[in-house]
Amino acid sequence: DLFMAPHYEFTPLTTGLAIVAAISVGLFHTPRSQGQEEVALFSPSGVRLFTAEDLKRVADERRETLLLLTVVGKVYNVTAGRKYYGVGEGYEGFAAGRDASRAFVDTTLFEREGVDDLANLTLSECKGVEHWSNFYAKHEEYTFAGVHVGNFFDVDGEPTAARLDFEACVTNANAVVEVLKGFVAKADSSGKGVCTWQHHDPKFVECEPPLAPLRFEIPDQGMVCKCVDGAALKSAVQATASRAAGSLEPRAYAECTLEQSRCMLPSLNKKAAPKQD
């Protein structure tokens, strides 16, 4: 199949033989509207190269039999996920013939241009996109098909500055995550890291002074509350992060600071204001 050629290390001889054999059985070409034929493109290392026209043609002409999804320039065959990515399904926009990487953090972007622009993402957003990139790479039923020649890979299949910037963002995000994990581990080993909650009015969450109850959102672990030195943690995150940390930034509870040991929480019995006639 033109769009699903496997990944080999090609020599000039094997490349020529493969293309001749493939064309003879109609695998590496699709007819153009003018009756011309198009041969599949490969990088020097044998990775299938998809042009923007390739992806659009699959989405327009072959969507009933083949679904391709592109994330940060890597193209995956997600035909096995037709109930998610097929026409009329909830995630069909991801297999609509373009790289929609930024939509993994904001699906409203499907209605706009530039959905492959990952510039200025926060560290937590980079981790979010990386999560989905890894999801497709490790999925048992979805397979790697090649790379998209565009914002993230050049005509030789090499990563562009945009791809390298995304990878640097992920690396920096991972460094911040390690800082967070270090503070959590220290809190757990100290015996003073557990947040104490009072669930009846007056509601509050507190820690033994001078520690403060902070919310941590660690990727793949969810949100946790730990008693930590808030000022020290904020300083450590700021010293590590090369851009805005987003939800990786530790947060105090509502109307609290990173240094307060007790944080008052909304009352259970708070009455709604009376309606005005």
Side-chain angles (χ1 to χ4, degrees):
D1 190 295
L2 167 65
F3 300 102
M4 298 316 306
H7 177 183
Y8 297 113
E9 293 294 330
F10 283 90
T11 66
L13 175 60
T14 58
T15 301
L17 291 174
I19 292 175
V20 169
I23 291 176
S24 70
V25 294
L27 295 183
F28 284 3
H29 69 278
T30 55
R32 292 180 179 271
S33 59
Q34 296 83 359
Q36 297 177 337
E37 295 182 347
E38 180 170 312
V39 176
L41 302 177
F42 293 88
S43 72
S45 63
V47 175
R48 173 69 169 93
L49 302 176
F50 291 86
T51 64
E53 291 74 19
D54 287 337
L55 297 178
K56 188 67 167 61
R57 191 160 56 252
V58 169
D60 290 345
E61 302 174 10
R62 303 187 55 184
R63 212 162 176 186
E64 294 303 318
T65 58
L66 178 63
L67 295 170
L68 297 180
L69 177 149
T70 308
V71 54
V72 202
K74 292 190 176 182
V75 182
Y76 294 92
N77 180 349
V78 296
T79 307
R82 183 171 301 284
K83 64 181 179 180
Y84 304 111
Y85 306 107
V87 177
E89 302 299 342
Y91 300 109
E92 68 170 314
F94 288 102
R98 59 177 175 170
D99 188 322
S101 296
R102 199 169 186 117
F104 282 101
V105 294
D106 183 0
T107 56
T108 65
L109 294 177
F110 281 131
E111 304 302 321
R112 312 178 209 167
E113 295 298 321
V115 288
D116 65 342
D117 181 7
L118 297 183
N120 302 319
L121 289 186
T122 66
L123 295 181
S124 60
E125 288 172 333
C126 284
K127 285 296 292 180
V129 175
E130 183 210 26
H131 166 84
W132 287 108
S133 181
N134 290 339
F135 170 80
Y136 295 107
K138 297 175 182 179
H139 199 282
E140 293 182 354
E141 295 185 295
Y142 304 153
T143 56
F144 175 71
V147 300
H148 171 219
V149 178
N151 193 34
F152 299 110
F153 289 93
D154 64 21
V155 293
D156 293 319
E158 295 298 322
T160 63
R163 172 78 195 191
L164 296 176
D165 180 69
F166 170 74
E167 293 175 357
C169 181
V170 170
T171 297
N172 189 223
N174 289 336
V176 171
V177 169
E178 290 306 309
V179 169
L180 298 180
K181 288 181 177 179
F183 272 80
V184 169
K186 182 178 179 181
D188 289 340
S189 64
S190 70
K192 300 179 180 180
V194 178
C195 298
T196 300
W197 300 81
Q198 178 162 296
H199 295 289
H200 57 78
D201 288 330
K203 292 177 63 180
F204 60 80
V205 57
E206 68 177 355
C207 296
E208 182 178 323
L211 303 181
L214 299 185
R215 295 179 290 170
F216 292 76
E217 186 174 347
I218 298 178
D220 300 321
Q221 294 184 24
M223 186 76 71
V224 296
C225 177
K226 293 293 177 181
C227 296
V228 298
D229 182 334
L233 177 54
K234 180 178 180 179
S235 177
V237 169
Q238 290 180 340
T240 305
S242 62
R243 63 175 78 187
S247 63
L248 292 180
E249 188 81 39
R251 286 164 284 174
Y253 286 85
E255 301 181 8
C256 237
T257 69
L258 295 178
E259 291 77 32
Q260 285 180 260
S261 294
R262 174 179 285 191
C263 292
M264 305 307 297
L265 302 174
S267 171
L268 292 173
N269 298 318
K270 186 175 181 180
K271 295 182 180 179
K275 292 182 179 181
Q276 301 294 323
D277 294 331

